[in-house]
Amino acid sequence: MASAVSKTPMLRAAAARGFAAQAQAAACSRGAADVQCTNLPNKLTVASAESGAAVARVSIVYRAGSRCEAADNLGASHVLRAAAGLSTKTATNFGITRNLQQVGASLTAVSDRELITYTVAVTKDELETGLKYLEAAATGQVFKPWELADLTAMVKADIARVPVEVEAVESLHKAAFHSGIGNSLFCPSYNAGKHSSETMQHFVATNCTTNRAAVAGVGVDHQLLVGFAQSLNLESGGSGDSKTDSFNSSEVRHERGGNRAAVAVATQGAGWGNLKECIAHIVLQAACGSGPVTKRGANNGVLTKQIGNSVACSAICPTYSDNGLFGFVVVGDANEVGKAVEAGVKGLRSLNVTDADVARGKAVAFAWIAEHLENHCTLAFDLGEQAALLGKIHKKEEILGALDSVSVSDVQAAARKVASGKLAVGAVGNLSSVPYLCNLH
């Protein structure tokens, strides 16, 4: 047992924690206030927030998500994500790994339907090293054939690990949009290992250009970040995206054995192009419920309460730059899922929210957004996402102000739109009890 004299007195420890919390809150406040955005002449957007943190995070972001794939290269964004950190024009796989480890840095790559984001997290005194290898990984890919061949096992493992509820949401996107946004985040199993070096080089050359890119940082001087962005060796690219994916009413079912099933049902939602409408749908999602908020608690959302507690369920509201979805996902025993889907569709068709529901939804949405924007990791990702997709930044105050200004009538209008919209369905598992789309009204 430690000696009593070595222990910190309780009141002193409490005071230290209090001062630490105040310092952290002040740093977050400074980060939110100091957001800056610059559009370079080559159409590359640079965004930053000076957080005062010891660790700097810098991202290079491209509009090269799965919606950019064509029929002949499906899964290319998954392979690009998996290939982050492989040998480049200026560094080997071993060199990138060793040099980043030597300075305590980390390099990650994440992708979604619209973006792929390369991020380095490094202490400020080693920022130069971090930026060097971030640039190498994000702009100098060479896709050596033998390294791509070695990736096949990783890609197949990613596919095998996809949870059934995520697969249902992936199938929902396919049903709702067919291509574009409907392309899966994961490489089709029949395409795993079939992306050649030439295919990947063409995908990068087409999508990783200055007019489709952004550089974002948290805890980095803005002018330093602008200089880094100007030094990147990227092609200028063409005119950018012009196509908007249209919503379709259809279903994708993957019949399997077992005793579980997952079903995702949705109608058309809103995209970030209309901030007010998008925020209204997010408030509606919070009011509809995203599962129990306490351990062993019950569903208490407007929609999830109607679905019941016999299955796990949540309202979903995936949003993109130009479109979105709104609905629910259920997963559970195959004998119960069919009834839950019918109850969920009935709830969508009669969706109505009261003043109390909207107040609760706004409180939940406020907590979601504030926590997202105060966390340095997610703030860096959010800045890159907005910069790459919108070419500008909605500051924290602007987003929370838009949330605060959403009225009950705005949320009720979103609910009416959802209630009258056509449905799309994605289902995976033992679907013996799950009704087909034509039988859902």
Side-chain angles (χ1 to χ4, degrees):
M1 181 179 292
S3 169
V5 296
S6 68
K7 295 181 181 178
T8 304
M10 184 179 296
L11 291 178
R12 191 187 304 170
R17 287 196 298 271
F19 288 130
Q22 292 177 34
Q24 183 178 14
C28 290
S29 176
R30 286 195 301 272
D34 295 340
V35 171
Q36 298 182 64
C37 183
T38 300
N39 293 304
L40 301 181
N42 62 1
K43 299 184 180 179
L44 193 152
T45 304
V46 183
S48 71
E50 179 51 63
S51 66
V55 175
R57 291 174 172 84
V58 179
S59 300
I60 297 177
V61 188
Y62 301 111
R63 295 205 305 272
S66 60
R67 78 176 299 179
C68 302
E69 297 167 357
D72 60 352
N73 65 3
L74 290 176
S77 66
H78 185 177
V79 176
L80 184 60
R81 177 175 74 239
L86 295 185
S87 298
T88 69
K89 296 174 183 176
T90 59
T92 64
N93 180 10
F94 175 78
I96 293 173
T97 303
R98 184 182 185 280
N99 284 283
L100 289 178
Q101 285 182 336
Q102 286 295 104
V103 298
S106 65
L107 175 68
T108 58
V110 296
S111 66
D112 56 24
R113 285 185 157 76
E114 298 195 282
L115 304 172
I116 182 165
T117 303
Y118 298 85
T119 303
V120 68
V122 61
T123 55
K124 291 184 176 180
D125 57 336
E126 297 290 353
L127 183 59
E128 183 178 352
T129 300
L131 293 181
K132 175 183 177 181
Y133 290 102
L134 171 64
E135 179 179 3
T139 68
Q141 304 96 328
V142 292
F143 304 110
K144 295 178 179 178
W146 53 93
E147 291 188 336
L148 285 180
D150 291 341
L151 279 185
T152 302
M154 181 188 298
V155 171
K156 289 182 176 179
D158 288 344
I159 298 168
R161 286 196 297 262
V162 177
V164 66
E165 56 270 26
V166 174
E167 195 172 351
V169 175
E170 293 294 295
S171 298
L172 169 66
H173 280 80
K174 186 68 175 177
F177 298 107
H178 296 174
S179 61
I181 299 177
N183 293 338
S184 176
L185 298 175
F186 303 94
C187 177
S189 55
Y190 60 80
N191 251 10
K194 296 184 179 179
H195 293 84
S196 66
S197 179
E198 291 76 15
T199 297
M200 294 307 302
Q201 289 286 7
H202 178 73
F203 184 79
V204 167
T206 302
N207 296 290
C208 299
T209 54
T210 57
N211 63 316
R212 302 173 61 84
V215 174
V218 173
V220 184
D221 177 76
H222 186 72
Q223 293 307 315
L224 184 153
L225 202 61
V226 169
F228 171 69
Q230 290 173 331
S231 71
L232 295 178
N233 184 22
L234 294 173
E235 296 295 328
S236 59
S239 59
D241 299 321
S242 59
K243 178 186 175 184
T244 298
D245 296 318
S246 58
F247 178 86
N248 303 281
S249 178
S250 61
E251 65 181 326
V252 173
R253 296 168 69 102
H254 297 282
E255 297 273 2
R256 294 176 186 165
N259 56 8
R260 297 182 74 240
V263 181
V265 180
T267 184
Q268 188 171 17
W272 279 108
N274 187 329
L275 181 61
K276 184 175 182 179
E277 184 182 11
C278 187
I279 293 291
H281 277 77
I282 291 174
V283 172
L284 181 62
Q285 179 197 7
C288 285
S290 55
V293 296
T294 59
K295 186 176 182 180
R296 300 187 182 89
N299 291 312
N300 61 353
V302 174
L303 179 60
T304 55
K305 188 160 52 177
Q306 294 187 54
I307 296 174
N309 293 305
S310 61
V311 297
C313 61
S314 174
I316 57 174
C317 182
T319 55
Y320 305 101
S321 57
D322 57 355
N323 219 323
L325 294 171
F326 189 97
F328 64 89
V329 58
V330 298
V331 58
D333 186 273
N335 295 324
E336 301 290 339
V337 166
K339 297 176 184 177
V341 169
E342 291 176 344
V345 170
K346 184 177 179 180
L348 279 181
R349 291 308 188 201
S350 60
L351 192 56
N352 188 34
V353 289
T354 64
D355 291 10
D357 295 327
V358 173
R360 183 181 72 254
K362 290 178 72 170
V364 173
F366 186 96
W368 286 348
I369 295 171
E371 182 179 14
H372 184 82
L373 296 180
E374 289 178 1
N375 181 295
H376 294 159
C377 295
T378 50
L379 174 60
F381 180 82
D382 183 77
L383 290 176
E385 184 177 38
Q386 292 191 58
L389 293 176
L390 306 178
K392 62 180 181 179
I393 300 297
H394 291 300
K395 295 185 178 181
K396 176 182 175 181
E397 296 81 1
E398 183 180 353
I399 296 174
L400 294 180
L403 172 61
D404 189 57
S405 67
V406 168
S407 65
V408 174
S409 60
D410 293 330
V411 182
Q412 289 175 338
R416 288 193 297 271
K417 177 182 175 182
V418 169
S420 61
K422 295 181 179 180
L423 298 176
V425 178
V428 181
N430 182 343
L431 307 180
S432 57
S433 73
V434 179
Y436 284 84
L437 176 60
C438 59
N439 296 323
L440 294 173
H441 302 290

